[in-house]
Amino acid sequence: MDKMRMESVNITDKNIEKIGKMFPNCITETVDADGKPKKAINFDILRQMLSEDIIEGEESYEFTWVGKKASIVEANKPIRKTLRPCKEESVNWDTTENLYIEGDNLEVLKLLQESYLGKVKMIYIDPPYNTGNDFIYNDDFTITGEEYAEESGEYDDNGNRMFKNTDSNGRFHSDWCSMIYSRLLVARNLLSDDGVIFISIDDNEQENLKKICDEVFGSKNFVAQMIWERAFSPKNDAKFVSNSHDYIIMYAKSLSQFNIGRLPRTREADARYSNPDNDPRGVWQSDNLTVKTYSASGDYKITTPKGRVVEPPAGRCWSLSKKVFLERLQDNRIWFGADGNGVPRIKRFLSELKYEGMAPTSILFYKDVGHSQEGSKELIKLFEAGVFDGPKPVRLLARLLTLANLKEDSIVLDFFSGSATTAQAVMQRNADELYKIKYIVVQLQEDIDENSKVYNLGYKNICEIGKERIRRAGKKILEENSDKEGIENLDIGFRVLKLDESNMTDIYYSPDEYSQ
């Protein structure tokens, strides 16, 4: 029983709660005068969140890294850019509600806050895995653009900064952490209160990503770290262990407001239920009546219908008190086996399950959600050629769309779009359910190697592959569902927008420059 509070409300605690809702990365723990743990504010991080400049002070393990404060500044820094329409590359410009945006995703995320603040139900991203071979975004954390250009020369045609983050780089992990941290800080603002984010990752940065997400979204909003079985057969040439999995980290914006989508029941699951005694309440499965924890209320003898006396195993007891057991017995909810002389068990009826559908598991088997080779085959089937390395299979994204518990008009965002699997998965879900889920996908114009087969097929950058995939997938989905009533309303279009410098004139003046 809780004791009555003989004091007024602690305003400090209330204020800390309010700050925590706005800036979960500023909440830390300390101890009070009695040595008991309590929540507190990390004022250094809070000052940094509210400052346009880098706050001086030592950075230590909290989790931290070189450039962390600078990445916060980068996330909060305003930009003077705009999204320019590109109608000639779009599909159904006048009617579609889907967006394909080209440009640096950090800057795009900042612009999206103007229209989509708190409106995105689901975010999925598949960022660079930091293997030492992938190019990653570089966001001027400690040097100017000119200095960086002079040192690395890694600019694309649109001025986006990228570099190959090799193991020899002294900031190998720090650069990656800064890159993802700033983007997640902004992305969180776009999520609705009942929204959820999924992030694909491998072993290289899984541990760091989990710590970053604990800061950005709050550890209390962690839902699961799922394991995706991406390979269907072992690599016999592996030096040590054949790595057959990736991770998908899942966080809610607010766990108390998020309801996970459950999976349709399978024939396998339903086969576990039967009705050997023709109970009018339908099929059921039996559950053990004994538990390991001893309780005096559950320590009694049970007599079977055939007269055999049964006691719980030594050191255990019945899970029901004698009173409740007799009530269940009277209601025909106790099963003694077909011969009426077995160990008593509780009947669990399928019709009385607490939730509809099945609880998802933390392991995503390839037989249920596809593997990486399936993702590649899907693109080959669409393009009649291999055009992208390591795309995620549509079935994997379909599972995540289910877990996100989307409404029929939800918004889904993917700001590392790659081959645009997310867009195809959304269109397929809309076709299956006749929903109007909208997608926003963002992708940097990463150039394709001129010596590659893909370049010779006519694709000069990843965006060209992504847009063409959506065009082809949309037509294919319409054709496969042509006999479905209402399918003519399926939105298979998208508006192409490209990040560009703003042409708005600077209208800020100091007082001495202004006169009537």
Side-chain angles (χ1 to χ4, degrees):
M1 178 176 168
D2 293 333
K3 293 182 179 179
M4 256 182 117
R5 291 180 60 93
M6 304 301 293
E7 58 187 30
S8 62
V9 175
N10 188 321
I11 300 299
T12 299
D13 289 347
K14 291 292 183 182
N15 288 337
I16 289 175
E17 285 181 16
K18 291 176 183 176
I19 292 173
K21 287 181 179 179
M22 291 186 291
F23 307 108
N25 59 323
C26 296
I27 300 299
T28 185
E29 290 183 354
T30 185
V31 292
D32 60 19
D34 298 322
K36 295 180 179 179
K38 67 173 185 177
K39 287 185 178 179
I41 301 293
N42 185 323
F43 288 100
D44 288 338
I45 297 296
L46 181 59
R47 278 193 291 270
Q48 189 61 76
M49 291 295 291
L50 301 174
S51 174
E52 295 180 353
D53 302 308
I54 299 174
I55 302 297
E56 292 185 0
E58 293 184 2
E59 293 178 329
S60 58
Y61 183 81
E62 278 182 329
F63 170 63
T64 191
W65 60 90
V66 177
K68 181 177 182 179
K69 290 183 178 180
S71 65
I72 295 174
V73 171
E74 188 75 17
N76 292 339
K77 187 187 298 180
I79 59 170
R80 292 183 182 176
K81 292 198 174 184
T82 190
L83 297 175
R84 298 200 182 282
C86 185
K87 289 189 176 183
E88 63 273 16
E89 296 180 25
S90 305
V91 175
N92 302 335
W93 174 274
D94 293 327
T95 57
T96 186
E97 295 186 83
N98 302 316
L99 301 180
Y100 190 103
I101 305 176
E102 299 182 23
D104 185 302
N105 53 17
L106 177 58
E107 295 178 327
V108 171
L109 288 171
K110 291 179 181 181
L111 293 177
L112 288 177
Q113 290 181 113
E114 298 293 327
S115 302
Y116 294 94
L117 192 70
K119 294 181 180 179
V120 175
K121 182 68 168 71
M122 169 184 162
I123 295 175
Y124 169 75
I125 56 171
D126 184 13
Y129 280 5
N130 206 17
T131 61
N133 297 312
D134 294 324
F135 283 93
I136 71 168
Y137 298 71
N138 188 79
D139 300 306
D140 284 355
F141 294 119
T142 55
I143 57 179
T144 66
E146 291 75 13
E147 289 171 334
Y148 183 79
E150 186 175 345
E151 290 182 20
S152 69
E154 293 291 354
Y155 269 77
D156 68 10
D157 292 339
N158 298 309
N160 297 301
R161 300 171 298 281
M162 300 185 69
F163 70 101
K164 201 167 189 175
N165 195 32
T166 62
D167 282 306
S168 59
N169 175 16
R171 287 164 49 104
F172 178 65
H173 290 291
S174 291
D175 283 329
W176 190 91
C177 288
S178 292
M179 180 275 295
I180 199 70
Y181 187 56
S182 56
R183 285 160 175 79
L184 291 180
L185 283 172
V186 184
R188 180 182 178 275
N189 298 334
L190 299 173
L191 276 177
S192 60
D193 289 340
D194 63 345
V196 64
I197 184 170
F198 302 90
I199 309 173
S200 286
I201 201 66
D202 69 354
D203 284 307
N204 288 291
E205 296 293 349
Q206 168 269 323
E207 182 181 8
N208 289 336
L209 177 61
K210 175 71 166 56
K211 292 175 182 176
I212 287 172
C213 287
D214 280 345
E215 284 198 18
V216 174
F217 300 100
S219 58
K220 65 181 180 181
N221 294 316
F222 171 71
V223 180
Q225 179 167 291
M226 293 175 284
I227 297 173
W228 170 46
E229 189 183 21
R230 62 172 172 77
F232 65 91
S233 61
K235 295 180 180 179
N236 293 320
D237 59 349
K239 186 176 181 181
F240 297 111
V241 175
S242 177
N243 193 331
S244 302
H245 71 279
D246 279 346
Y247 302 95
I248 299 178
I249 294 178
M250 179 181 182
Y251 279 79
K253 173 73 172 288
S254 173
L255 196 62
S256 62
Q257 299 190 55
F258 173 66
N259 293 311
I260 197 164
R262 297 174 72 86
L263 307 180
R265 294 195 61 81
T266 62
R267 290 182 181 178
E268 229 175 28
D270 287 343
R272 302 189 190 107
Y273 290 79
S274 61
N275 195 357
D277 62 346
N278 296 315
D279 194 304
R281 287 164 292 198
V283 294
W284 52 270
Q285 63 177 355
S286 62
D287 196 4
N288 203 343
L289 193 59
T290 63
V291 291
K292 292 181 180 180
T293 306
Y294 180 79
S295 170
S297 65
D299 187 14
Y300 55 89
K301 298 177 182 179
I302 294 175
T303 302
T304 70
K306 293 292 182 70
R308 185 168 74 93
V309 177
V310 183
E311 296 184 64
R316 300 190 180 191
C317 68
W318 304 119
S319 60
L320 305 176
S321 68
K322 188 171 184 178
K323 179 179 180 294
V324 174
F325 169 79
L326 292 174
E327 291 173 353
R328 300 286 191 276
L329 183 65
Q330 183 69 25
D331 196 29
N332 190 26
R333 290 177 180 270
I334 304 297
W335 175 245
F336 292 95
D339 62 355
N341 208 30
V343 176
R345 296 175 67 84
I346 306 173
K347 292 163 67 173
R348 307 286 190 191
F349 292 92
L350 179 61
S351 60
E352 295 178 351
L353 290 179
K354 186 176 181 181
Y355 300 104
E356 289 186 14
M358 296 171 57
T361 65
S362 59
I363 302 179
L364 305 173
F365 295 104
Y366 72 76
K367 64 183 179 65
D368 299 320
V369 301
H371 44 67
S372 56
Q373 193 169 339
E374 179 177 311
S376 297
K377 287 180 178 178
E378 287 170 347
L379 277 186
I380 291 173
K381 192 173 181 180
L382 280 175
F383 286 86
E384 300 179 350
V387 294
F388 199 89
D389 292 331
K392 296 294 186 287
V394 173
R395 284 200 293 159
L396 176 64
L397 268 296
R399 169 64 62 87
L400 302 184
L401 292 172
T402 297
L403 301 189
N405 202 13
L406 302 177
K407 302 178 179 68
E408 63 178 26
D409 59 348
S410 293
I411 298 173
V412 176
L413 169 65
D414 181 346
F415 54 89
F416 285 96
S417 176
S419 68
T421 303
T422 300
Q424 181 174 344
V426 168
M427 289 190 294
Q428 187 64 59
R429 174 57 56 89
N430 285 337
D432 294 340
E433 307 290 343
L434 293 179
Y435 279 179
K436 294 183 178 180
I437 302 169
K438 298 172 274 291
Y439 66 77
I440 303 170
V441 294
V442 184
Q443 179 57 45
L444 189 69
Q445 280 192 350
E446 295 180 44
D447 290 334
I448 292 173
D449 186 353
E450 295 183 10
N451 298 317
S452 67
K453 293 180 180 179
V454 180
Y455 190 90
N456 293 329
L457 290 172
Y459 301 103
K460 304 301 185 287
N461 60 63
I462 290 179
C463 291
E464 293 181 4
I465 295 174
K467 288 178 289 189
E468 184 60 21
R469 179 195 188 150
I470 300 173
R471 295 186 191 103
R472 297 187 182 205
K475 290 179 182 178
K476 181 173 178 287
I477 291 170
L478 271 183
E479 291 169 1
E480 292 175 346
N481 294 272
S482 58
D483 58 345
K484 194 171 186 176
E485 186 177 351
I487 197 66
E488 65 276 5
N489 297 319
L490 180 68
D491 186 355
I492 60 168
F494 58 93
R495 293 183 177 184
V496 176
L497 303 173
K498 298 189 179 184
L499 187 70
D500 197 1
E501 296 295 330
S502 174
N503 59 3
M504 297 293 288
T505 305
D506 190 342
I507 59 170
Y508 291 96
Y509 299 95
S510 59
D512 60 344
E513 296 176 308
Y514 182 81
S515 68
Q516 289 184 312

